[in-house]
């Protein structure tokens, strides 16, 4: 699933083109993709977007008149592209906005399951939709992070992915951040020393910024990630093969030398207990 660096890179790329021209035609819109029906998406026609914004892993496109907001959550398989005038688009997009200049904003989703969503909302309703989200991960700082860690006794990998606690990090960047901070994914949030909190705060910013920079240059997963999805590959710091462990419904990747003092983590997948 795209996380803060990926979505922020898209936001920056989309900001100028989406506000260049008013919307000429809104649609087609797959019935499973568009999650709201009032107002209808046709309400966007003739309006100009004010640009692209981001909150956590969501993209927001407010209209210039301040009346409407298009909110897009791409989930795992959704992709959003801006096509220049004359560029050929997909035959059956999940959602499309065609602009007067001939450009198009196109949402596609691989697979039969339509999980990506588009909401057309008033600014007030959009604010409500986002109210549950915690502060943005990038630029959080050690003080604010310490408060979040203190607020609940949780394993770090789980807490970092909790959008209500801190917004924008998913399983891939949680792996990268914890490796960079040299912390175990299973470490408990309230047990960290001041030094460890500082390391974690630094790692959140440095890893998300590294990801953003690489994504803006169009780098693919293989080059962007150094730990995530790298089972058996040498750790880029110490050369130990990267290990993998199942945790809740996720798979965690980590370096046993850098992060867990050589200990191999045991599975904590919930489904194992149910078998
Ligand atoms: Zn290592």
């Amino acid at each position: 699933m795209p996380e803060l660096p990926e979505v922020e890179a898209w936001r920056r790329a989309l900001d100028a083109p989406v506000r260049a021209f008013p919307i000429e035609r809104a649609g087609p819109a797959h019935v499973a993709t568009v999650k709201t029906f009032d107002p209808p998406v046709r309400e966007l026609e003739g309006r100009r977007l004010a640009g692209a914004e981001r909150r956590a892993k969501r993209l927001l496109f407010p209209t210039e008149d301040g009346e409407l907001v298009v909110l897009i959550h791409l989930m795992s398989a959704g992709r959003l592209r801006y096509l220049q005038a004359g560029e050929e688009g997909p035959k059956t997009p999940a959602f499309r906005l065609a602009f007067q200049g001939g450009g198009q904003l196109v949402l596609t989703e691989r697979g039969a399951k339509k999980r990506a969503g588009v909401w057309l909302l008033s600014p007030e309703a959009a604010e409500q939709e986002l109210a549950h989200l915690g502060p943005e991960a990038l630029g959080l700082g050690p003080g604010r992070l310490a408060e979040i860690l203190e607020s609940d006794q949780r394993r770090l990998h789980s807490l970092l992915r909790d959008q209500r606690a801190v917004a924008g990090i998913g399983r891939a960047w949680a792996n990268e951040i914890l490796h960079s901070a040299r912390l175990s994914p299973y470490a408990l949030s309230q047990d960290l020393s001041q030094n460890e909190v500082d390391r974690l705060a630094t790692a959140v910013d440095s890893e998300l910024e590294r990801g953003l920079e690489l994504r803006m240059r169009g780098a693919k997963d293989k080059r962007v990630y150094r730990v995530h999805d790298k089972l058996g590959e040498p750790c880029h710091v110490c050369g130990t093969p990267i290990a993998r462990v199942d945790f809740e419904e996720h798979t965690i990747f980590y370096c046993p030398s850098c992060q867990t003092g050589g200990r191999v983590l045991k599975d904590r997948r919930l489904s194992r207990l149910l078998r």
Side-chain angles (χ1 to χ4, degrees):
M1 180 181 298
E3 302 175 26
L4 190 153
E6 290 74 35
V7 181
E8 178 61 19
W10 286 332
R11 184 200 73 74
R12 293 185 188 191
L14 293 171
D15 186 51
V18 298
R19 56 192 156 89
F21 292 94
I23 295 163
E24 187 170 71
R25 205 153 47 82
H30 195 285
V31 62
T33 302
V34 178
K35 312 291 186 190
T36 50
F37 55 91
D38 183 28
V41 295
R42 298 234 171 255
E43 276 292 312
L44 287 166
E45 292 175 358
R47 297 181 202 246
R48 191 189 284 260
L49 297 176
E53 297 172 5
R54 182 190 57 78
R55 179 74 171 98
K57 304 173 193 172
R58 294 161 182 75
L59 284 162
L60 302 159
F61 302 93
T63 57
E64 205 180 44
D65 58 20
E67 290 181 8
L68 295 168
V69 179
V70 182
L71 187 157
I72 297 182
H73 196 324
L74 295 165
M75 300 302 290
S76 309
R79 291 293 175 269
L80 197 59
R81 279 192 305 155
Y82 182 84
L83 303 173
Q84 307 283 350
E87 229 180 309
E88 199 170 338
K91 285 198 173 60
T92 52
F95 181 69
R96 180 170 66 196
L97 293 177
F99 298 92
Q100 281 176 17
Q104 305 176 53
L105 184 67
V106 177
L107 170 63
T108 52
E109 189 168 17
R110 279 176 287 123
K113 279 211 178 103
K114 296 288 172 234
R115 296 183 61 222
V118 175
W119 289 254
L120 184 57
L121 303 163
S122 68
E124 298 74 31
E127 204 173 301
Q128 224 167 19
E129 186 73 32
L130 303 170
H132 69 284
L133 294 167
E136 286 289 315
L138 190 56
L140 203 54
R144 191 78 184 83
L145 180 63
E147 285 172 32
I148 293 164
L149 294 167
E150 269 305 310
S151 68
D152 201 2
Q153 181 71 310
R154 303 265 300 276
R155 299 203 182 273
L156 290 184
H157 200 277
S158 171
L159 183 64
L160 286 177
R161 284 187 286 108
D162 183 346
Q163 303 303 300
R164 290 165 194 272
V166 48
I169 300 170
R171 62 199 179 95
W173 287 104
N175 286 333
E176 299 296 322
I177 288 165
L178 289 170
H179 180 270
S180 171
R182 288 177 283 121
L183 290 168
S184 167
Y186 285 2
L188 291 165
S189 57
Q190 293 174 340
D191 294 356
L192 298 194
S193 67
Q194 184 59 53
N195 179 272
E196 290 171 326
V197 173
D198 290 345
R199 263 170 25 215
L200 185 55
T202 302
V204 167
D205 281 349
S206 65
E207 282 303 302
L208 295 179
E209 272 164 13
R210 182 176 70 81
L212 175 57
E213 205 180 299
L214 287 167
R215 293 301 190 185
M216 281 170 58
R217 286 193 260 140
K220 304 276 182 245
D221 291 358
K222 204 173 157 48
R223 238 190 92 214
V224 171
Y225 300 136
R226 302 192 287 199
V227 183
H228 179 69
D229 235 358
K230 300 284 187 187
L231 179 67
E233 293 183 35
C235 165
H236 70 95
V237 175
C238 73
T240 303
I242 295 295
R244 179 177 75 182
V245 63
D246 290 334
F247 176 67
E248 294 173 354
E249 68 276 40
H250 298 286
T251 298
I252 293 177
F253 295 87
Y254 68 101
C255 171
S257 296
C258 291
Q259 292 176 260
T260 58
R263 281 193 315 279
V264 171
L265 299 177
K266 296 264 175 8
D267 275 4
R268 287 177 188 270
R269 185 164 277 192
L270 298 175
S271 59
R272 302 234 161 171
L273 305 172
L274 304 173
R275 265 180 216 152

